[in-house]
Amino acid sequence: MRLSSIAIISATFGAAAALSVIGAGFAVNTVEDQSELGVRRALDAQRMHWAEVEANGLQVFLTGEAPSEAVRFNALSTAGTVVDAARVIDQMTVEDSADLLAPTFSVEILRNDSGISLIGLVPASTDRASLLKIIRPMAAEGRATDLLEIADYPVPEAWGGSMEFALEALEFLPRSKISVTAGAVEIRAMADSAESKRKLESDLNRRTPDDVTLTLDITAPRPVITPFTLRFVRDEGGARFDACSAQTDEARDRILAAATAAGLEGNAGCTVGMGVPSPHWAKAVEQSIGALAQIGQGSITFSDADITLIAEETTNPATFDQVIGELENNLPEVFALHSVLTKPVAKDIAGEAAEFTATLSPEGLVQLRGRLSDETARTTVETFAKARFGSKSIYNAARLDEGLPGRWDLRILTALDGLSRLSNGLIVVTPDLISISGKTGNTETNAEIARIFANQLAETDRFQIDVEYVEALDPIASLPTPDECEADVAEILKTRKINFEPGSDKPDAEAAAILDDVANVLRECEELKMEIGGHTDSQGREEMNQALSQRRAQAVLNALRQRQVLTASFSARGYGESQPIADNDTEEGRDANRRIEIKLIRPEPAQESETTLESMEQPAQENAQQDQVDATTEGGSDDG
């Protein structure tokens, strides 16, 4: 009986143990399945289909190749939201970084009175010490901050050229932000004046390498416009501005919109400046332009708060009176309107209208013809013309006429003042009109003349301006490019050669005329980086040849300087016999090797496998090995 009881108890415990093992197995499988399924669903929801999930007991194994380290970390974090992060076992790999796209290298250069800062991502091969050595002399008290990061990827094409150009531009821009990427440079800067802005834009566009896209945003302080002038004309040729001023960008847009509605076609400029006589300037201009459009042909001139509206004699008097009355009643306070309906021109007894003309030739010669009131007026006009154009440039053929209208001589002086702003042109003064026409190299000349006339003439005086801007006359826009300068010098030296006296560094008598012509070309160019290199043949000692070539190169540089060529960026270097271009075993070859080379210094093209910024340090030290285009001339003596 006792054995039976023991057997029953043992069987009971055995069955319980078996059931426990079976239950535990089911529980483990359930936990594994739920963990694996939950993690899988979470990863799929994040579109991480590359990841594999396997549960083994309480542990969850993640395998697969992640596209990046960040994605791998994201997968671990996602799994940790489903199960305890301690149960997640990371067996994932990351895709080889060599197969990933290279990052976009970019640098922002910030320069102000506090110094220069560099921010961005550059290739690991960048010589940052050399870069800082270049920019520290430009920075205030040498304060240059390097906040650059690096990445070990190949140097992009055009990256070196972009950085070199950016650093070159930085030298001329004390308040600027320059953004650089491979093949593109964006410059935002402040200029001291509108003229300085034009010059900077012209210089930077000329210096931009062919493989670099330049974006410019240069601002200048708003000019003070005195008097604050605007002149709008409608005639047979259409509608146009002779001068336009506004106090804000919004006011400018309103004025241009009103002019367009009145018949203005194409693009027109309007200077935003200071000195506006009233905050309601734009409203007054809009109303006045609208009134002129209703009248038909004529002009509207603002000189500060004084407005002159002149209508052509063909205008219907009733329409004129109605429009002028409405305008007078609606103009903002401060503005005063003077209106004129032109009358037929008065003629003398012979039936001729009084007239005075002055012509300015492209050579600067001025001829005065027509009528003046008396001898005092003739002396005054001639003296004024000599002061404006030069005493030797005036030919006076004007005759005296005592019956001229009042203020006749003052109108002539004002017209001559306007003519002095032109390169060549013509003024015609009649009793009812002053007209000026001609050519100029200044885009602001129209506005300047309109300002002079509006300020000095009476409100009843009509004037007409027809001045053409010619880029070839613009001292900034017409500057030849460095390549054009180099080509012009090369053309001179193609058939004419500079020689020296035997064994000397003194140019011979025939060289003077050649140097004169070369200097004439270089004086018309902007500041260039050029090298004048001296070369000899192989006869004589190498040290003596090198010294002689250096002296000859320096002699040419001195000769150009004496001819008033800007040579601050020129250098002279003697190469001796180290760079022959012909065989030194023949007299003809030795003669060719004795030469002076004038070279336009060009940046060395960046090699993808090399650091690009190392090449930037070398131009600053003026000993770079650079690609250059030669203008070759012959150097002196037969003895090397």
Side-chain angles (χ1 to χ4, degrees), residues 348 354 370-377 399-409:
D348 60 15
R371 306 186 191 188
L372 294 170
S373 60
D374 53 34
E375 191 63 41
T376 300
R399 69 183 178 90
L400 302 184
D401 182 352
E402 295 181 354
L404 295 172
R407 303 183 70 258
W408 179 259
D409 302 324

Side-chain angles (χ1 to χ4, degrees), residues 554-575:
Q554 187 63 47
V556 172
L557 178 58
N558 293 340
L560 293 176
R561 184 179 294 126
Q562 291 169 0
R563 288 164 171 78
Q564 298 182 342
V565 175
L566 296 176
T567 58
S569 57
F570 285 29
S571 61
R573 183 173 180 180
Y575 290 91

Side-chain angles (χ1 to χ4, degrees), residues 157-162 181-184 208-214 605-606:
E157 186 178 354
W159 170 259
S162 299
T181 57
T208 305
D210 293 338
D211 59 349
V212 174
T213 300
L214 175 63

Side-chain angles (χ1 to χ4, degrees), residues 310-593:
I310 299 178
E312 294 296 331
E313 60 183 271
T314 56
T315 303
N316 184 300
T319 301
F320 178 80
D321 291 339
Q322 178 182 346
V323 172
I324 294 301
E326 292 174 351
L327 181 59
E328 287 178 338
N329 291 323
N330 293 327
L331 278 172
E333 293 183 4
V334 177
F335 291 96
L337 175 65
H338 181 81
S339 57
V340 177
L341 178 57
T342 305
K343 298 179 180 180
V345 180
K347 298 183 179 180
D348 60 15
I349 298 175
E352 297 179 353
E355 183 179 272
F356 176 90
T357 65
T359 58
L360 171 62
S361 72
E363 296 76 24
L365 302 178
V366 177
Q367 293 189 6
L368 308 178
R369 301 181 185 275
R371 306 186 191 188
L372 294 170
S373 60
D374 53 34
E375 191 63 41
T376 300
R378 175 152 50 190
T379 301
T380 301
V381 168
E382 186 171 330
T383 301
F384 183 82
K386 288 180 178 179
R388 282 288 186 265
F389 303 99
S391 59
K392 297 181 179 180
S393 304
I394 306 302
Y395 172 75
N396 189 356
R399 69 183 178 90
L400 302 184
D401 182 352
E402 295 181 354
L404 295 172
R407 303 183 70 258
W408 179 259
D409 302 324
L410 177 60
R411 297 168 76 227
I412 290 174
L413 293 174
T414 301
L416 286 173
D417 195 7
L419 184 64
S420 68
R421 266 63 177 179
L422 303 181
S423 297
N424 59 282
L426 167 70
I427 58 169
V428 179
V429 180
T430 63
D432 73 321
L433 180 67
I434 300 173
S435 65
I436 180 169
S437 60
K439 297 180 179 180
T440 178
N442 184 351
T443 56
E444 299 297 323
T445 297
N446 259 32
E448 288 180 12
I449 294 175
R451 195 170 294 119
I452 291 170
F453 285 9
N455 192 41
Q456 298 181 12
L457 296 176
E459 293 178 338
T460 55
D461 288 331
R462 296 171 58 226
F463 59 89
Q464 178 178 306
I465 302 173
D466 183 15
V467 174
E468 177 187 0
Y469 168 75
V470 179
E471 185 174 309
L473 300 175
D474 192 325
I476 295 176
S478 62
L479 285 175
T481 65
D483 288 338
E484 290 171 341
C485 290
E486 184 181 52
D488 291 343
V489 171
E491 187 66 25
I492 293 173
L493 300 176
K494 185 183 297 183
T495 56
R496 304 165 63 196
K497 298 182 179 180
I498 298 174
N499 290 302
F500 294 84
E501 294 182 359
S504 169
D505 58 14
K506 182 179 180 181
D508 65 13
E510 295 180 356
I514 302 172
L515 288 167
D516 287 342
D517 291 342
V518 171
N520 288 337
V521 170
L522 294 177
R523 280 196 297 269
E524 297 299 321
C525 300
E526 62 178 340
E527 187 175 354
L528 302 174
K529 290 184 178 180
M530 303 196 79
E531 179 188 89
I532 302 173
H535 301 263
T536 68
D537 59 29
S538 61
Q539 293 187 333
R541 296 204 311 272
E542 183 177 345
E543 295 81 2
M544 293 181 61
N545 287 336
Q546 195 281 329
L548 178 61
S549 65
Q550 178 66 45
R551 293 197 304 273
R552 288 179 171 174
Q554 187 63 47
V556 172
L557 178 58
N558 293 340
L560 293 176
R561 184 179 294 126
Q562 291 169 0
R563 288 164 171 78
Q564 298 182 342
V565 175
L566 296 176
T567 58
S569 57
F570 285 29
S571 61
R573 183 173 180 180
Y575 290 91
E577 60 189 68
S578 64
Q579 297 183 6
I581 59 173
D583 188 355
N584 273 311
D585 292 334
T586 66
E587 179 57 35
E588 184 180 24
R590 290 192 294 273
D591 184 66
N593 288 331

Side-chain angles (χ1 to χ4, degrees), residues 265-283:
E265 297 180 353
N267 296 324
C270 194
T271 303
V272 177
M274 296 183 290
V276 66
S278 166
H280 303 297
W281 172 267
K283 180 180 180 181

